[in-house]
DNA sequence: AAATAGGCTTAAACTAGTTTAAGCCCGACG
DNA sequence: CGTCGGGCTTAAACTAGTTTAAGCCTATTT
């Protein structure tokens, strides 16, 4: 069927045996997601690890004033989930929403745990995946405490050149932690 | 012998067999670190995963202007390492330095890889450890894009009440991404 | 005992980033 | 075809945070 992109993703870390690939079948669900459709809402536990086959998502929080803050964007061959909520089964404080029509492969908690036990190398694969994401996040924290908004914007453009074209600037501003008005000024300054 | 704190730490996740504990012996080195002594310096690859038995460390970067930026504090029962540099073997951009005299247990890359292969559950244990650290970091990113310096300071006090007493305010300011002068003002505002 | 250095505070002048408000453009939709 | 709403920009007034400079206190060195 259609979980090949996920198998390819895993095998970019460690090759799987045929029997292991077969275990994945039936534990993975393919879903189509519409633009602006949410796959996680504040107040609900995050029930899936979501692997993106096609499309683009954002993860965001809403503060007391109702302002949205984009924590993360994820696109093809990437994962998105509220890891804390997923494992603890606790209500999430976050939303995850499609920015574009998307195709995803989802694994539920019980299935993921089954897979961890029956395909031990998945523990290692996910360890490496999370380590890589940790390093990314650490660089972002470093930037946030040491760089100006303009520097952060330029880094964003370098790091996610494709994403920058696909996203409205308001979303980028929210990710950078600045107002759209100020991003507009930054863009003007850069252009001149 | 003296690696018991590390065994206890691992067993807080998953119990180990006697044979597995014995594998750890000889792959773990105990070291005493003096105040202000560095265990990682910019330009060198990070060669160890360091588990803190006693004491307190900070991880920081130095920018072009020579200003230090504290990325992370770690104390007892916690790990500290530049994960990216460690795995890639590439020169680190970071420093790790003891804030207080410390006792640590260190594992070198080749030994950690040996242990991953011979104690498969270590893959799972470290997966969970990194997941937890990822969630912490994500919360910090969220704060950095959505909260004022005062809110971030109050959160820091709540989250690390012990650390706040052990650290000079200049170090805390550097962690929060503000100047010591402004932290001083925040403290005055809070007190009144 | 004097000298030095680091950590904390205050304050005045400055700059980075926000807020409020308005105007423009374009695509969606009745 | 008009109008409605969202995304982008500009600008003026404001606020959060920095810079520079100075002073004070305590701990350490000489």
């Amino acid at each position: 069927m259609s979980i090949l992109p996920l198998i390819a993703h895993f095998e970019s870390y460690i090759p799987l045996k045929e029997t292991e690939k077969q275990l994945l079948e039936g534990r993975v669900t393919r879903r189509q997601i519409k633009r602006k459709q949410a796959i996680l809402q504040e107040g609900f536990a995050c029930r899936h690890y979501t692997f993106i086959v096609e499309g683009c998502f954002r993860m965001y929080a809403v503060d007391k004033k109702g302002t949205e803050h984009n924590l993360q964007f994820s696109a093809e061959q990437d994962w998105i989930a509220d890891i804390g909520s997923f494992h603890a089964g606790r209500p999430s404080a976050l939303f995850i929403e499609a920015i574009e029509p998307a195709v995803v492969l989802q694994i539920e908690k019980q299935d993921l745990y089954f897979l961890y036990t029956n395909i031990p190398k998945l523990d290692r694969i996910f360890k490496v995946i999370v380590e890589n994401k940790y390093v990314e996040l650490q660089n972002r924290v470093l930037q946030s405490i040491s760089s100006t908004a303009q520097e952060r914007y330029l880094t964003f453009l370098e790091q996610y050149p494709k994403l920058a074209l696909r996203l409205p600037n308001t979303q980028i501003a929210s990710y950078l932690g600045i107002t759209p008005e100020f991003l507009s000024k930054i863009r003007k300054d850069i252009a001149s």
Side-chain angles (χ1 to χ4, degrees), chain A residues 136-181:
Chain A
E136 257 185 65
L137 214 50
Q138 204 174 47
N139 286 329
R140 190 156 163 222
V141 170
L142 179 54
Q143 274 243 327
S144 81
I145 62 175
S146 67
S147 303
T148 63
Q150 171 161 336
E151 289 166 333
R152 268 143 50 212
Y153 178 58
L154 291 172
T155 303
F156 176 82
L157 291 183
E158 262 179 53
Q159 203 161 12
Y160 304 103
K162 293 167 206 164
L163 222 46
L165 299 173
R166 287 157 84 173
L167 291 171
N169 285 327
T170 45
Q171 298 288 352
I172 297 175
S174 162
Y175 175 90
L176 296 174
I178 59 176
T179 57
E181 291 83 357

Side-chain angles (χ1 to χ4, degrees), chain A residues 38-48 59-60 81-96 109:
Chain A
I39 60 170
L40 173 64
Q41 279 181 282
E42 185 184 15
F44 296 84
C46 178
R47 290 180 47 228
H48 307 91
M59 173 185 275
Y60 64 96
D82 179 345
I83 298 181
S85 165
F86 180 87
H87 285 107
R90 269 198 298 265
S92 177
L94 305 175
F95 296 80
I96 300 177
K109 187 171 166 181

